[in-house]
Amino acid sequence: MPYYQKLGEMPRKHHIWFSRNGQGPTYKNEGIAYEHVITTEGFNEAYSIMYHLRPPTRVRNVKLLKCEELKKVTDSPLRHHHLKTANIRRKGDLYTGRVPILFNQDVVAYRARPEKAYDKFEYYKNGGADEIIFVFRGGGTLESIFGKQKYRAEDYIVIPRGITYKLVPDKVEEEDYLILESVGPVRIPQRYLNKEGQIKMGSPYSERDLHGPTELNTTDTEGDTEILVKDGPRWTVVTMAHHPFDVVGWDGYVYPFTFNAQDFEPITGTVHQPPPIHQTFEIRGYVVCTFAPRMLDTHPEAVKIPWVHDNVEADEVLFYVRGNFGSRRGIEPASITLHPRGIPHGPHPGTIMASRSATRTEELAVMFDTQHTLELTEQAVALDDDKYPQSWLE
Ligand SMILES: [Fe+2]
């Protein structure tokens, strides 16, 4: 979780009367705001406390919309995959248009190229997972119960579970995302934090690079509001008796935040540095890394691209954003490669020599490495280049 933030009004201590003294409308003239705690991992880890105009428990109706279990493709051998996802047909809205690509018990990776901002349901909440939305293309405003905040291309938008939100894109026809639905909470890697919980100097980013909501969007409206709530495979329509964005203040460590990949400070050496230097987030069962534009290794005899490696305990996925990826051939923006355990991978033929005179790389890629085996969906197999496993032959 990021760091302590607060916005709006709140009482001077936890769990005391928050009398609004007749300022602004309040629910049934009780004259108070209603406290609401949002936690992670029970009550032991990060939390925020917000204050509502009306009790957030005023549910009028719940209705099961659908249940969609992910299906793995079972007849694929263990092999490397190259999925070309740039031209997936646009479909659905920002919530329902997500195409599942890879999954295991800890994470589901989706590509999303929505056709419209929302179809029937304007408001959405993931009740079962934290979401990391990487904005491949697009930009706009994230509106949530915590307030409003801008997002832009190459942002990671991290939305903890349980937070009702809507995305308001500037131009929906440009929106294009990679989404990682995380069963465990999304955290700043522990080794980047000092004993006080501050991000250490020398880490690839600091608190100033993480951006939370900038203004409240307190909405005081009685009347039914439908929220599309996803938990795992189940989609439920929850009808609230009032508008959910009725928060007048909040503080804590849990809130949606953005981090732009261009703010990732690369760590380089005289020879090639291993992938942990690119780590961005730590999640149960997997890590997210950012391969940002950077100076290449400066030793006069340095091999400036990665060594061949076996990921003996991990499946490795790269989502290529832009630039020329020095160690690969045939890769384009929005390509996804999956290099599983059991088969080594490394530079394509010719790329070692070609990198010899290079001093910089402009590549930008998002990597996620999972502890448990990733399964491919049918939608992923349809995008697969079946010649890729032999692409290391001269
Ligand atoms: Fe690798």
Side-chain angles (χ1 to χ4, degrees):
M1 295 299 148
Y3 52 98
Y4 180 80
Q5 287 257 50
K6 63 178 178 180
L7 208 53
E9 307 167 55
M10 66 206 73
R12 69 184 190 284
K13 281 175 74 65
H14 284 182
H15 215 47
I16 62 171
W17 285 102
F18 182 16
S19 168
R20 306 247 312 137
N21 297 325
Q23 290 170 6
T26 49
Y27 173 58
K28 288 198 171 171
N29 301 319
E30 285 187 325
I32 57 168
Y34 297 87
E35 200 174 20
H36 174 193
V37 183
I38 188 156
T39 64
T40 45
E41 306 219 309
F43 286 83
N44 284 327
E45 303 291 337
Y47 63 92
S48 284
I49 301 181
M50 55 197 130
Y51 296 88
H52 294 266
L53 292 175
R54 294 172 175 78
T57 43
R58 297 177 71 224
V59 172
R60 172 131 13 241
N61 192 36
V62 289
K63 187 173 162 230
L64 179 68
L65 185 69
K66 59 181 176 179
C67 205
E68 284 177 338
E69 294 287 350
L70 291 171
K71 280 195 211 89
K72 66 175 183 182
V73 170
T74 52
D75 58 355
S76 176
L78 176 73
R79 69 167 176 84
H80 297 321
H81 294 273
H82 175 196
L83 315 172
K84 294 189 175 188
T85 73
N87 298 314
I88 293 178
R89 189 175 58 82
R90 289 195 169 271
K91 67 160 199 167
D93 66 19
L94 294 161
Y95 322 118
T96 61
R98 303 173 180 190
V99 180
I101 302 288
L102 297 163
F103 67 100
N104 68 15
Q105 63 262 59
D106 298 312
V107 58
V108 184
Y110 300 87
R111 285 281 288 120
R113 289 168 41 82
E115 212 169 22
K116 48 192 154 184
Y118 63 92
D119 193 357
K120 191 153 179 241
F121 305 103
E122 192 174 349
Y123 301 96
Y124 168 84
K125 159 160 63 177
N126 196 321
D130 286 15
E131 292 183 354
I132 302 173
I133 302 176
F134 180 79
V135 183
F136 175 56
R137 303 259 192 271
T141 307
L142 167 66
E143 296 184 17
S144 76
I145 49 174
F146 287 83
K148 290 185 185 181
Q149 61 207 94
K150 291 278 186 199
Y151 69 90
R152 62 192 171 105
E154 300 177 1
D155 266 350
Y156 294 95
I157 312 173
V158 178
I159 307 174
R161 72 203 61 204
I163 294 178
T164 301
Y165 74 84
K166 72 170 184 174
L167 288 170
V168 185
D170 295 335
K171 293 178 186 166
V172 72
E173 67 277 13
E174 289 179 4
E175 295 290 289
D176 199 326
Y177 314 123
L178 170 75
I179 300 170
L180 302 175
E181 197 183 67
S182 308
V183 175
V186 177
R187 293 195 155 109
I188 294 167
Q190 191 63 41
R191 65 195 165 88
Y192 293 170
L193 301 174
N194 63 25
K195 288 195 190 84
E196 286 70 30
Q198 186 180 21
I199 300 174
K200 288 180 192 172
M201 288 191 191
S203 300
Y205 54 87
S206 76
E207 282 85 353
R208 292 187 201 172
D209 300 317
L210 309 177
H211 307 284
T214 52
E215 61 175 307
L216 290 172
N217 48 354
T218 315
T219 308
D220 177 22
T221 311
E222 190 70 11
D224 291 0
T225 309
E226 289 179 323
I227 304 170
L228 185 60
V229 181
K230 180 179 190 299
D231 69 309
R234 182 168 54 184
W235 297 72
T236 304
V237 181
V238 175
T239 307
M240 300 283 300
H242 61 269
H243 199 287
F245 292 176
D246 67 339
V247 169
V248 295
W250 61 268
D251 75 340
Y253 281 63
V254 178
Y255 50 85
F257 68 93
T258 60
F259 169 62
N260 195 275
Q262 294 175 43
D263 287 328
F264 190 92
E265 196 59 43
I267 295 166
T268 56
T270 64
V271 294
H272 185 72
Q273 300 296 299
I277 57 147
H278 305 285
Q279 191 179 352
T280 309
F281 300 118
E282 174 176 283
I283 309 104
R284 195 166 59 229
Y286 79 104
V287 295
V288 174
C289 298
T290 306
F291 287 78
R294 61 193 180 278
M295 295 301 292
L296 290 171
D297 322 308
T298 52
H299 191 285
E301 296 167 70
V303 174
K304 294 175 183 172
I305 51 176
W307 43 72
V308 168
H309 50 285
D310 253 296
N311 301 331
V312 294
E313 290 176 318
D315 280 4
E316 179 190 308
V317 183
L318 270 162
F319 176 70
Y320 302 83
V321 179
R322 63 179 156 87
N324 183 23
F325 217 74
S327 60
R328 291 279 127 70
R329 297 184 315 199
I331 296 296
E332 57 190 35
S335 280
I336 292 176
T337 55
L338 166 63
H339 298 138
R341 65 206 67 207
I343 309 172
H345 68 279
H348 271 129
T351 57
I352 294 176
M353 296 311 290
S355 74
R356 206 160 174 182
S357 58
T359 54
R360 267 189 73 79
T361 173
E362 300 306 326
E363 73 192 22
L364 177 67
V366 173
M367 182 174 85
F368 58 101
D369 269 16
T370 66
Q371 185 184 351
H372 298 289
T373 307
L374 282 165
E375 305 291 353
L376 277 93
T377 61
E378 266 174 27
Q379 292 96 323
V381 169
L383 304 166
D384 197 12
D385 171 5
D386 60 5
K387 307 277 189 304
Y388 185 64
Q390 291 82 37
S391 63
W392 282 265
L393 295 172
E394 303 75 21

